[in-house]
Amino acid sequence: MTLTEDGQIVVSGLTKHYGKVKAVDDLSFAVRSGRVTGFLGPNGAGKTTTLRMILNLVTPTSGTATIGGQRYSDFPHPVRQVGAILEASAAHKGRTGRNHLRIMCAAAGLPLSRADEALELVGLTPAAKRKFRGYSLGMRQRLGIASAMLGDPKALILDEPANGLDPEGIRWMRDLLRKFAGEGRTVLVSSHLLSEMELLADDIVIIANGKLVKQGPVETIVNGISQAERVRVRTPDADKLAQALAGKATVTQENGVLLVTGIGAPAVGEAALRAGVVLHELVEERPDLEQVFLELTAGKAGIR
Amino acid sequence: MNLIRSELMKIRTTNVWWLFGIGVLVFTALSVTLWIFAGNQLIDDASSNAVFQPPPPEFEMSPEQLAEAQRQFELQHDISRVLSGAAAQIYTSGQFFGLLFVSLLGVILVTNEYYHQTATATFLTTPQRTKVILAKLGTASLAALIFWVGTTAISGIAGSIFFSSKGYSSQLGEWPVTRAVLMNGLAYGLWGILGVGLGVLIRNQIGAVITVAAGYLLGTYVVQIAAFLASQLFKSDWVQKASVIWPSVASEAMVSTEPIFSNPPPWWVGALILIGWGLVLGLVGTLITRKRDIA
């Protein structure tokens, strides 16, 4: 790790009220550098509001958020500390992508040539002098990333960056963020696409209704939640096996597949042998993040 | 400085500035032509050898009315006064539309940030929002001054040619004329600031543009007519004088060497009022922007 804890993001007691609605409610968590942290929650959980408070775009009702120990508004040159992508369609439609970046460079006191370097980095050089109006969604996301990379920051904050990207684009983004974290920087990515986070994130922070539900490394959370392992069994004699297991485990049938909870795969195999049932498939299923997530946030995704 | 450079780039990298520029130049060219024709007539009248003829007895004028008529006649035949009045009009030609365009430029400089959602990028780059608004105020007035230089160059060249063809000096050295030109510049700069302030108050781009255009074009007449009627009603002219608090009336008052209505507010009242508007709107705009959530 080259940059140590420089870009660590610490959120403590962050709260935002909109009238009577508590969009974010006493939220605290930490994001470590050198790792990709997924920020998960159902729609309306308060993810975007939280990220905007970290970035000083929204004023918290109470609580603080710091990056490397400093509040965002205290950075003399924030672009060199933190890169952020908050929405894809955020440039003047009649302006070229290159000029959009050059304007940011000028304001941040960076040499204008950084604009071209950032465009090169995200593979947007051929479209540099085209107007933003004509950009596809994927190109807009790439321009967003280029703008976040302008100041070569220590931390990256991205709000739903995978939205609207094609599979190739998602893969590209994933590699880029992994590389970024690999260089010792902090990456905080919000998403409601759980499968994507499972592939990308090292740590996750889950919120619902503006409150923290769980935070920690992905494996710990996935393993820690559901002790109820599930065994998937495929057999031509499903009813007979279900009978044999009755009383020892909970069995549900789904399209000719038995889902067994309560006992492990060896026990299911033994029971099948005793009952004289042929097995075509016997798999222990680890719960995936999606299940964990649904379990954790069940009933908390109230409508706002 | 970085921020002003960035804001100037924002103006330069879209189409608005040259569309507005062409608009202002066209209106300036038209109005300079009109004022030269009007000035030509006034100067010819003033330089004729006519002497005051008392009206025939059937008009039954009182001695006071007679004196007033003679005074008016002499004013119209006071060649140096007529020359500087015409020169001030000519050299500030196009002010009426120029100020409108300049304030709209200020409005757009702010409302674009919300309309195109670039406010996020702007405030991420510079979280010190006061600085951003100050840069916008500075940039709007700077751009406005560039418009003023352009319009003054056109009217200056056309006007100098006109005056020399009549055998007079360009009049630009006369203090009331110089003052009118300078005040015109101040008016341009201040209207850029007013535009930024209004853009902050009315975030919706279309709403803000319509409000400013209507307030400027219709508001000016409504205020002047209302003030005139009120002054007739109350038999006192302070109501009419009070119409100078409306910013577009104030900017007219600033550049006139002549009363724009009877018993005029002096030019510096107009200037002070417009500066006041600029300060209030600039301050309110800054305070609002500091508090506002960017979502």
Side-chain angles (χ1 to χ4, degrees), chain B residues 74-86 257-259:
Chain B
E74 276 159 9
L75 280 176
Q76 279 161 20
H77 289 77
D78 175 351
I79 185 70
S80 72
R81 184 188 146 277
V82 169
L83 276 176
S84 64
T257 56
E258 291 280 323

Side-chain angles (χ1 to χ4, degrees), chain A residues 32-141:
Chain A
R32 291 160 61 193
S33 50
R35 296 167 74 85
V36 176
T37 302
F39 190 35
L40 290 171
N43 286 329
K47 299 187 296 290
T48 299
T49 306
T50 303
L51 296 184
R52 285 185 173 267
M53 285 195 282
I54 295 175
L55 295 165
N56 190 50
L57 292 170
V58 168
T59 314
T61 307
S62 62
T64 57
T66 57
I67 302 156
Q70 266 186 295
R71 286 185 314 177
Y72 191 85
S73 56
D74 293 337
F75 287 124
H77 299 291
V79 172
R80 295 175 198 183
Q81 307 291 334
V82 187
I85 305 169
L86 294 172
E87 65 252 309
S89 57
H92 191 294
K93 287 168 194 61
R95 195 177 276 146
T96 66
R98 181 165 179 259
N99 278 333
H100 174 71
L101 296 181
R102 285 161 69 94
I103 285 168
M104 291 182 74
C105 285
L110 295 166
L112 298 187
S113 57
R114 273 300 295 162
D116 297 316
E117 292 168 28
L119 285 169
E120 187 70 49
L121 183 73
V122 299
L124 215 51
T125 307
K129 292 184 181 172
R130 232 191 288 168
K131 291 193 171 168
F132 187 71
R133 173 181 295 122
Y135 278 26
S136 69
L137 198 50
M139 288 159 82
R140 290 176 183 206
Q141 282 294 18

Side-chain angles (χ1 to χ4, degrees), chain A:
Chain A
M1 236 178 267
T2 48
L3 288 155
T4 65
E5 298 296 292
D6 247 9
Q8 178 162 329
I9 300 169
V10 178
V11 168
S12 93
L14 213 53
T15 302
K16 179 68 181 181
H17 296 184
Y18 288 113
K20 284 186 177 172
V21 179
K22 288 183 179 175
V24 176
D25 189 5
D26 195 20
L27 183 62
S28 300
F29 62 87
V31 181
R32 291 160 61 193
S33 50
R35 296 167 74 85
V36 176
T37 302
F39 190 35
L40 290 171
N43 286 329
K47 299 187 296 290
T48 299
T49 306
T50 303
L51 296 184
R52 285 185 173 267
M53 285 195 282
I54 295 175
L55 295 165
N56 190 50
L57 292 170
V58 168
T59 314
T61 307
S62 62
T64 57
T66 57
I67 302 156
Q70 266 186 295
R71 286 185 314 177
Y72 191 85
S73 56
D74 293 337
F75 287 124
H77 299 291
V79 172
R80 295 175 198 183
Q81 307 291 334
V82 187
I85 305 169
L86 294 172
E87 65 252 309
S89 57
H92 191 294
K93 287 168 194 61
R95 195 177 276 146
T96 66
R98 181 165 179 259
N99 278 333
H100 174 71
L101 296 181
R102 285 161 69 94
I103 285 168
M104 291 182 74
C105 285
L110 295 166
L112 298 187
S113 57
R114 273 300 295 162
D116 297 316
E117 292 168 28
L119 285 169
E120 187 70 49
L121 183 73
V122 299
L124 215 51
T125 307
K129 292 184 181 172
R130 232 191 288 168
K131 291 193 171 168
F132 187 71
R133 173 181 295 122
Y135 278 26
S136 69
L137 198 50
M139 288 159 82
R140 290 176 183 206
Q141 282 294 18
R142 282 171 193 253
L143 184 65
I145 293 183
S147 72
M149 298 294 194
L150 276 181
D152 194 22
K154 299 186 180 78
L156 262 192
I157 293 176
L158 307 96
D159 194 10
E160 305 273 1
N163 265 3
L165 284 186
D166 55 14
E168 191 208 347
I170 289 179
R171 196 197 158 87
W172 169 80
M173 164 103 54
R174 191 194 303 150
D175 292 346
L176 191 74
L177 296 184
R178 288 237 59 96
K179 175 171 163 271
F180 206 73
E183 291 164 4
R185 312 187 209 218
T186 312
V187 181
L188 177 60
V189 189
S190 86
S191 181
H192 62 274
L193 294 177
L194 307 152
S195 46
E196 176 58 26
M197 275 308 111
E198 209 168 4
L199 288 170
L200 175 63
D202 303 303
D203 296 329
I204 50 175
V205 173
I206 301 177
I207 67 168
N209 259 353
K211 291 194 178 90
L212 182 71
V213 174
K214 206 90 188 171
Q215 69 168 315
V218 174
E219 318 84 64
T220 318
I221 289 188
V222 170
N223 294 333
I225 296 306
S226 195
Q227 294 87 358
E229 271 176 42
R230 214 161 61 154
V231 182
R232 208 179 131 86
V233 194
R234 194 184 292 277
T235 165
D237 233 344
D239 290 335
K240 201 167 169 188
L241 181 61
Q243 253 171 4
L245 291 170
K248 295 177 210 157
T250 322
V251 183
T252 51
Q253 250 192 79
E254 225 176 64
N255 310 326
V257 175
L258 290 181
L259 298 172
V260 184
T261 46
I263 54 173
V268 176
E270 265 174 45
L273 178 64
R274 268 193 230 109
V277 173
V278 177
L279 295 186
H280 290 174
E281 189 184 333
L282 178 64
V283 189
E284 263 189 8
E285 277 189 340
R286 277 165 39 84
D288 61 8
L289 196 51
E290 184 117 16
Q291 274 170 264
V292 174
F293 180 75
L294 289 175
E295 231 166 277
L296 287 174
T297 60
K300 292 185 183 163
I303 293 164
R304 301 163 176 276

Side-chain angles (χ1 to χ4, degrees), chain B:
Chain B
M1 239 20 249
N2 282 341
L3 290 180
I4 290 188
R5 183 160 157 246
S6 172
E7 293 295 332
L8 282 174
M9 282 173 78
K10 284 180 191 173
I11 296 181
R12 233 178 44 221
T13 51
T14 56
N15 293 334
V16 171
W17 71 270
W18 60 264
L19 289 173
F20 278 21
I22 289 174
V24 170
L25 294 184
V26 167
F27 277 117
T28 304
L30 282 176
S31 96
V32 86
T33 314
L34 285 176
W35 286 121
I36 284 177
F37 274 113
N40 190 35
Q41 191 61 50
L42 289 171
I43 293 168
D44 284 349
D45 288 351
S47 53
S48 68
N49 292 320
V51 286
F52 182 67
Q53 302 280 351
E58 57 264 35
F59 279 85
E60 289 173 10
M61 283 179 127
S62 67
E64 293 83 40
Q65 283 172 319
L66 201 62
E68 172 63 18
Q70 182 156 13
R71 197 179 69 82
Q72 288 292 338
F73 180 89
E74 276 159 9
L75 280 176
Q76 279 161 20
H77 289 77
D78 175 351
I79 185 70
S80 72
R81 184 188 146 277
V82 169
L83 276 176
S84 64
Q89 280 294 4
I90 290 169
Y91 292 135
T92 59
S93 293
Q95 190 205 46
F96 189 71
F97 280 98
L99 296 185
L100 175 62
F101 277 120
V102 156
S103 62
L104 288 181
L105 195 68
V107 164
I108 286 173
L109 197 58
V110 179
T111 52
N112 257 352
E113 299 271 5
Y114 298 102
Y115 187 73
H116 293 284
Q117 293 182 293
T118 50
T120 299
T122 299
F123 290 129
L124 281 178
T125 314
T126 315
Q128 298 81 14
R129 297 189 187 178
T130 308
K131 279 197 198 165
V132 173
I133 291 299
L134 288 179
K136 283 193 187 291
L137 292 171
T139 305
S141 48
L142 199 65
L145 287 178
I146 295 170
F147 277 66
W148 168 70
V149 169
T151 57
T152 306
I154 291 182
S155 57
I157 292 166
S160 309
I161 293 172
F162 163 68
F163 283 113
S164 75
S165 77
K166 305 282 300 178
Y168 295 107
S169 78
S170 72
Q171 305 295 315
L172 281 167
E174 301 292 320
W175 168 237
V177 179
T178 318
R179 189 187 71 203
V181 171
L182 293 177
M183 284 298 120
N184 192 32
L186 181 63
Y188 268 85
L190 288 171
W191 274 88
I193 289 175
L194 295 188
V196 170
L198 286 165
V200 175
L201 289 179
I202 309 168
R203 228 188 315 188
N204 180 293
Q205 184 152 57
I206 294 159
V209 166
I210 289 174
T211 307
V212 170
Y216 189 84
L217 297 173
L218 301 177
T220 307
Y221 295 115
V222 171
V223 166
Q224 280 177 334
I225 291 167
F228 175 75
L229 292 178
S231 69
Q232 294 297 307
L233 190 65
F234 296 119
K235 302 262 176 269
S236 93
D237 60 355
W238 73 264
V239 197
Q240 197 174 359
K241 278 193 218 172
S243 69
V244 76
I245 59 168
W246 191 252
S248 49
V249 181
S251 37
E252 266 179 66
M254 272 166 84
V255 298
S256 64
T257 56
E258 291 280 323
I260 56 170
F261 32 70
S262 59
N263 241 338
W267 58 271
W268 54 265
V269 173
L272 284 181
I273 284 170
L274 206 56
I275 290 172
W277 275 99
L279 281 177
V280 168
L281 283 177
L283 194 70
V284 169
T286 308
L287 292 178
I288 289 179
T289 309
R290 280 172 64 93
K291 292 231 139 188
R292 187 178 271 167
D293 284 347
I294 310 295

